[in-house]
Amino acid sequence: MPERINGSEWRTPLRTPVRHPDFDLAATLECGQAFRWQRGPGGWFTGVVGKRALRVRQVGDTLEGDVDSHYFALDIALRDVVATFPVDDEPLRVAVQKHWGLRVLRQESWETLASFIASSTKQIVQIRQIVAELSRRFGEPLRDGYHAFPLVADIARLSHKELWDCKLGFRAKNLLAAARMIDGGKVDLRPLPAMEYERAVEELLKLPGVGEKIANCVLLFSCGFEQAFPVDVWIERALRRLYFPRRKVTARQLRDFARGHFGPYAGWAQQYLFFNERTSGRGKRSSVCA
DNA sequence: ATCCAGGTCGGTC
DNA sequence: GACCGACATGGA
């Protein structure tokens, strides 16, 4: 099938279609963990992973196109993950059922860190714009007008204004300083996956613009810490609504609850609850703005 | 117009 | 420790 996009041939050859019943491509790509995918005609998603422009779609149980099974974490048995979730947790059970097949991707750590430094008090649609702009201006050109996410060293060399012009606002200085710390060897992302969780958090907190929430995003989405549980405004809202209705609890209490309650795959539970909260229409805002 | 967005940080009490 | 406002910008 010689698919063409914008008149130019895509990536050749497309791989053999793969059957995978426990995977929901759309939910996985649109739940807010990745910022570089776009849904196009025919149900095809296009995006960039590392230095590859990929195109993939799901038809029923079948995946077509560039199926990167490592990136999509297809080796993980979803039933085993769900089996670790607490029994008698009805809200989580409902969320999992509603979005069955949603998986936590294995993303690249620098891109994840940079994207989430850019994310603070930004809407997801704006984060996507910023990441796209950074890539377009400073990332390695790939085929068909796509660009890789810029390397740490390339961001580190930029001026404050060059980053500012990518709509980063007050986050520009944080991204620049973080890039320079990593590029200069003050912080090393590579050993994070092998560290103890607490130690890895501590390491990331050295970076400017990185607090508990963003550190947990990086550890969950790009370092294999399935227990990491980022608490943002959406999850906070969901936890209050689902587990502490009409009770006053502090943010700290919510974090402690989450860490003790959801188990070794708390991060996966977080994604189901997060996506559910954003799509259920019960939050203060009723629509997903992506 | 006004509020709020996948927060973080440095200042208060 | 918990609480508070500043920080930039744009979407709803």
Side-chain angles (χ1 to χ4, degrees):
Chain A
M1 60 170 123
E3 298 278 350
R4 286 171 183 277
I5 290 182
N6 294 334
S8 65
E9 194 166 352
W10 194 255
R11 195 163 181 270
T12 56
L14 297 181
R15 297 181 197 152
T16 309
V18 181
R19 283 205 60 214
H20 209 297
D22 294 331
F23 185 49
D24 184 335
L25 179 68
T28 299
L29 296 182
E30 294 181 335
C31 70
Q33 60 180 321
F35 303 107
R36 302 211 64 193
W37 289 92
Q38 281 190 308
R39 189 201 287 256
W44 289 100
F45 283 86
T46 56
V48 176
V49 176
K51 293 189 175 186
R52 297 169 300 154
L54 302 184
R55 191 190 59 147
V56 60
R57 75 169 172 182
Q58 181 169 31
V59 179
D61 286 353
T62 303
L63 295 170
E64 302 175 9
D66 304 308
V67 182
D68 184 332
S69 58
H70 179 262
Y71 176 77
F72 289 126
L74 294 179
D75 53 303
I76 291 183
L78 193 53
R79 287 190 161 71
D80 293 345
V81 172
V82 171
T84 69
F85 290 166
V87 292
D88 295 342
D89 187 331
E90 186 65 9
L92 179 56
R93 193 191 66 74
V94 169
V96 168
Q97 191 207 7
K98 189 156 24 166
H99 303 295
W100 182 261
L102 168 55
R103 287 166 181 272
V104 173
L105 296 168
R106 294 195 184 102
Q107 303 190 65
E108 197 279 320
S109 61
W110 160 243
E111 176 174 343
T112 303
L113 171 65
S115 299
F116 278 98
I117 286 178
S119 78
S120 72
T121 55
K122 277 288 185 189
Q123 296 181 174
I124 289 182
V125 58
Q126 295 174 319
I127 302 166
R128 297 168 60 89
Q129 288 169 7
I130 292 170
V131 172
E133 193 62 11
L134 287 171
S135 302
R136 191 183 67 77
R137 293 197 192 194
F138 310 118
E140 178 183 331
L142 307 174
R143 63 191 306 155
D144 297 314
Y146 285 80
H147 295 260
F149 191 80
L151 304 174
V152 186
D154 292 332
I155 295 286
R157 267 192 284 273
L158 296 176
S159 68
H160 180 262
K161 175 171 169 32
E162 285 175 300
L163 281 178
W164 184 275
D165 289 344
C166 294
K167 315 275 188 183
L168 277 158
F170 64 84
R171 306 153 196 83
K173 64 178 190 316
N174 290 334
L175 180 57
L176 185 57
R180 288 180 175 170
M181 283 181 71
I182 295 167
D183 189 50
K186 309 266 288 183
V187 170
D188 192 353
L189 300 179
R190 290 168 299 182
L192 292 178
M195 288 182 184
E196 290 292 313
Y197 167 75
E198 305 289 352
R199 175 81 181 79
V201 171
E202 189 183 341
E203 195 64 15
L204 284 167
L205 291 183
K206 292 179 181 173
L207 297 166
V210 178
E212 290 275 341
K213 189 269 173 183
I214 291 177
N216 277 283
C217 285
V218 173
L219 294 179
L220 174 61
F221 298 140
S222 71
C223 295
F225 287 90
E226 328 272 12
Q227 77 272 37
F229 194 97
V231 177
D232 60 31
V233 290
W234 289 94
I235 273 294
E236 198 170 322
R237 200 143 56 213
L239 293 181
R240 288 184 198 281
R241 179 168 67 81
L242 298 171
Y243 300 96
F244 302 93
R246 298 177 301 281
R247 279 197 279 167
K248 46 187 177 188
V249 287
T250 66
R252 165 63 69 177
Q253 285 175 299
L254 290 175
R255 282 190 50 248
D256 292 344
F257 163 76
R259 194 169 47 187
H261 178 69
F262 292 110
Y265 285 86
W268 288 62
Q270 191 269 9
Q271 281 299 283
Y272 281 99
L273 293 173
F274 176 80
F275 192 45
N276 181 60
E277 186 70 12
R278 284 178 56 79
T279 54
S280 68
R282 293 201 206 175
K284 283 183 179 174
R285 296 188 175 270
S286 58
S287 62
V288 176
C289 30

